[in-house]
Amino acid sequence: MKAFKEKWEIQENWQLLFPLLGLIGVCYSAYKISKALLSESEIYWVLIVAVVIAYILIKITLFLFKKLENKWILNYRWEMIRVFIVFAITGSSSMLIGRPIIKFLGITKENLNPILYWVLFIIIGLVFYQILLIIFGWLFGQFRFFWEFEKKMLRRFGFFKDRK
């Protein structure tokens, strides 16, 4: 445990919550993926495939940590886990909020061209994504990181000009 804490620069035991939440999220995602792939299979096959997928997802995540470690300005390595959790929650939440809103507007796949429907769905989800990213970033104690991230993203969309 000491080596794990040193590797992730964890000073307090409460900070272990974020690696634990990240691991739970990866395992849940792996289970859902394996359940979708093997919907007609026995539960033990689903669990075996889930373990393999979880291993692959963890390897991908650790690879991404290494790539983003120098790019993202964070005080401690464990904060990267917190940032990834915020991105995961925000992405899921923006789509969950987008569905009822698009339904409230009376837009369905039946009354609109499917391509146009998905374009509108993605635009509505993207709008809520921007808002939720700041809210969840603040809730997880990473407001400054996500505010800078948001400004950079909005500049790329052409909403803000760089001041020199």
Side-chain angles (χ1 to χ4, degrees), residues 7 10 51 107 117 135:
K7 178 180 178 171
I10 294 175
V51 168
I107 301 170
Y117 170 85
I135 293 170

Side-chain angles (χ1 to χ4, degrees), residues 55-107:
Y55 176 79
I56 292 168
L57 289 175
I58 289 171
K59 285 295 196 181
I60 290 169
T61 304
L62 292 174
F63 172 77
L64 289 173
F65 281 166
K66 284 184 181 176
K67 289 290 184 189
L68 295 171
E69 189 173 33
N70 296 324
K71 188 174 183 177
W72 288 350
I73 310 297
L74 297 166
N75 295 327
Y76 303 104
R77 292 187 79 213
W78 65 268
E79 289 180 313
M80 291 186 69
I81 299 169
R82 192 161 59 171
V83 167
F84 271 55
I85 291 170
V86 169
F87 279 125
I89 292 172
T90 303
S92 301
S93 300
S94 66
M95 290 298 116
L96 289 174
I97 289 173
R99 272 192 195 110
I101 289 177
I102 206 161
K103 193 178 281 187
F104 174 75
L105 295 172
I107 301 170

Side-chain angles (χ1 to χ4, degrees), residues 102-116:
I102 206 161
K103 193 178 281 187
F104 174 75
L105 295 172
I107 301 170
T108 64
K109 293 177 201 169
E110 290 78 32
N111 68 4
L112 194 63
N113 180 320
I115 294 173
L116 190 56

Side-chain angles (χ1 to χ4, degrees), residues 6 8 22 26 51 64 72 88 102 126-127 142 146 148 163:
E6 286 176 9
W8 288 99
V26 165
V51 168
L64 289 173
W72 288 350
I102 206 161
L126 191 60
V127 168
Q142 290 294 117
F146 284 104
E148 294 302 319
R163 295 181 187 168

